[in-house]
Amino acid sequence: MNGQAIAAACLAAQLAAAGCAQGSRPAAVARDEAGEASATLAFETRGTLAQGARARADVELELDRRRLVVGFGWSGTPRTLRLEVRASGGTGEPRVLLKESVASPGGPEGWLERQVPVPDALVGQRVRLELRAEAPGGSAFLARPVLVEAAGGAEGPPNLILLSVDTLRADRLGCYGNARPTSPNLDRLARAGLRFANAYAPSNWTLPSHYSMLSGLYPAAHGVDPDFHRVAGYRHPSEKLQMRGSGAERMLAERLAELGYLTAAITEDGWMYPRFGFDQGFASYVADTYGSLASTRARALAWLEAHGEARFFLFLHTFQPHMPYDAPEPYAGMFLDPRHAGILLPGVSVPVRFLELFADRTFPPMRAEVEAFRALYDGEVRYVDDFVGALVEVLERRGLAQRTVLIVTGDHGEELFEHGGLGHGETLHEEAMRVPLIVWGPRWIPQGQVVETHVSLVDLVPTLLRLAGGEPEPPLQGEDLLALAAREKRQGEIPRAVFAEAWAPGGARLGAVWLGPRKYVVRRGSEVRESFYDLARDPDERSDLAPRHPGELEALRQLWGRFQEDSAAIRERLGPVETVPAPEVQERLRALGYVD
């Protein structure tokens, strides 16, 4: 068996052990607004050219890179899956690049990926690719082929891995001040790389924050920013909400694919579903909305084992440590007081609606319950940290560490009763907005530097593009993090404004500006309420300085207004965004407690 076949076999075994069945929902074929078709098979979405018992497609392209990646899919129960790729150019005879027959591919549906080296004689030539797939007794699918750079060894840009840990607040990691040993692997990466002490999410919940992370635009600019509270009570499926980008955004995966990167994503949350626009630019987008950290870990490690020959960008997203806090042992009870006798016990999954009684103060928790919530949350953080350790181990064992940059962050934080609330999506307090940001890469990243300058998740796109050898072309609202780190090392901390936006209960609009130690917060509903804090002296946001400092308040108000004007101009250029979540997405959101 070749490396990909071995990895596929290992993945199947690991997914079975993780309790995640492959092919557990029927194939889905869709077209986006540009008319591009895609097919979802066993949770994996790929751009698709043809489908049928005998699928055929011809594509003209210039073979300007050394490696061709083609996806072949099946559904039903075909006895065999026959694959063929031919290339013809000029007056020569067609050249067979791939011819293979796969007996009983396994499962009711799925994708096979083949990486085909481009012959020297065809490099730089414009050719017609003839793609063929047959699935007797079922249906075959042909994915759009992509050309990628071969792994460059010590030369060329690095591989890129971006790991987004849902609901991970900064101060629950050891390297950000937690006394508990929640993050030994992440702490090690921070010591060996860059740690950004003041990184902020652009929103307080998953959908808009991730769209900012992957577009380089704030929510006011990209527009994928529905009222969280209307979505949380999604009782009117016919009502259209702003849930998908216009398609005019140039997403990170698109930009990296143009630079020769093989792009892939592995996610496990309903808010990261492809129909929201997240698959734009990815050759492969796995969205296992029935998955878990165990299944994400299995897929991610198998993917790395199989793809060391191509230069790649891998985006990973895990739903933990999102509520409900239900990590397996030993993580669930790792930090819980053994004398605790309340409802929050290891192995007990507390219903989300019951947790909401704590969140809305209907059922104020006792001090012991507060500590139990924090202990269970910290156990989930340690669970994720062990996944990070496994990723690094694979990179080092496969010889990929010296040509890979790994970035770990969170999409937002979590309130654990610091201001009386539980969860996220309600406020822009520090516990909901300040996230970890660690950048590690032995050959590429400065070692042991802590950057104090304020940064945002919108800075990730220009940073990764620079690492990949590209230019961060507009529209973008972020800056290159590595350039900021270098400037701070020379000049000291750089005053820089970063922003966040969200919805408050009742439809009020929230906004925040961080500028040095100052933080400005505005709430626009039936009335406007403003406040600002000095986080250097008041990190817990207990003392509102707005009544005593009208001059500073006005300066921050004007800064927020200019930001809104700039974002609105970008939003107008990109065009409208509207869609409704598909039924299966609503089903997943209902299972998570977001939908009645």
Side-chain angles (χ1 to χ4, degrees), residues 270-285:
W271 286 124
M272 298 301 297
Y273 202 72
R275 283 195 182 90
F276 297 146
F278 287 113
D279 64 328
Q280 190 173 322
F282 282 102
S284 165
Y285 193 97

Side-chain angles (χ1 to χ4, degrees), residues 362-412:
T362 302
F363 185 6
M366 297 182 296
R367 184 64 194 175
E369 300 291 353
V370 171
E371 292 304 320
F373 269 112
R374 294 175 181 173
L376 290 174
Y377 179 93
D378 284 352
E380 296 238 343
V381 173
R382 180 59 180 266
Y383 185 27
V384 173
D385 184 79
D386 280 358
F387 169 45
V388 173
L391 282 177
V392 174
E393 189 278 328
V394 170
L395 293 175
E396 292 175 339
R397 178 169 48 78
R398 293 279 283 112
L400 298 172
Q402 293 298 317
R403 49 188 173 92
T404 299
V405 171
L406 170 62
I407 299 178
V408 182
T409 190
D411 62 336
H412 54 77

Side-chain angles (χ1 to χ4, degrees), residues 393-558:
E393 189 278 328
V394 170
L395 293 175
E396 292 175 339
R397 178 169 48 78
R398 293 279 283 112
L400 298 172
Q402 293 298 317
R403 49 188 173 92
T404 299
V405 171
L406 170 62
I407 299 178
V408 182
T409 190
D411 62 336
H412 54 77
E414 184 84 317
E415 297 186 51
L416 296 169
F417 301 107
E418 288 81 5
H419 291 86
L422 173 68
H424 55 272
E426 304 286 327
T427 74
L428 299 180
H429 287 307
E430 291 294 284
E431 57 267 25
M433 304 308 299
R434 183 167 167 254
V435 295
L437 181 56
I438 297 168
V439 185
W440 173 82
R443 283 189 56 243
W444 302 91
I445 305 302
Q447 182 172 344
Q449 183 180 350
V450 178
V451 180
E452 299 290 342
T453 297
H454 285 60
V455 300
S456 167
L457 297 185
V458 300
D459 297 323
L460 290 172
V461 170
T463 303
L464 292 172
L465 288 176
R466 288 285 191 195
L467 281 165
E471 287 296 323
E473 299 172 355
L476 286 174
Q477 293 180 293
E479 295 186 40
D480 179 357
L481 292 167
L482 301 185
L484 284 170
R487 283 166 50 202
E488 180 177 294
K489 196 167 187 178
R490 293 192 306 268
Q491 304 171 13
E493 186 176 347
I494 305 162
R496 178 175 182 250
V498 297
F499 307 90
E501 306 161 72
W503 295 91
R509 191 68 172 152
L510 297 174
V513 182
W514 289 264
L515 181 63
R518 294 296 203 240
K519 178 181 180 179
Y520 166 80
V521 181
V522 59
R523 185 185 191 275
R524 294 185 177 276
S526 57
E527 60 182 20
V528 177
R529 296 207 303 255
E530 297 173 298
S531 57
F532 82 91
Y533 305 93
D534 183 344
L535 296 178
R537 298 181 178 181
D538 178 26
D540 297 328
E541 301 170 280
R542 301 296 180 186
S543 178
D544 181 4
L545 302 177
R548 288 172 281 166
H549 298 274
E552 288 189 72
L553 181 67
E554 176 60 24
L556 291 166
R557 182 188 298 130
Q558 291 184 13

Side-chain angles (χ1 to χ4, degrees), residues 575-596:
V577 293
E578 277 194 332
T579 192
V580 177
E584 61 267 31
V585 180
Q586 295 181 48
E587 179 185 342
R588 173 58 172 165
L589 300 180
R590 186 175 295 107
L592 293 172
Y594 284 123
V595 177
D596 287 346

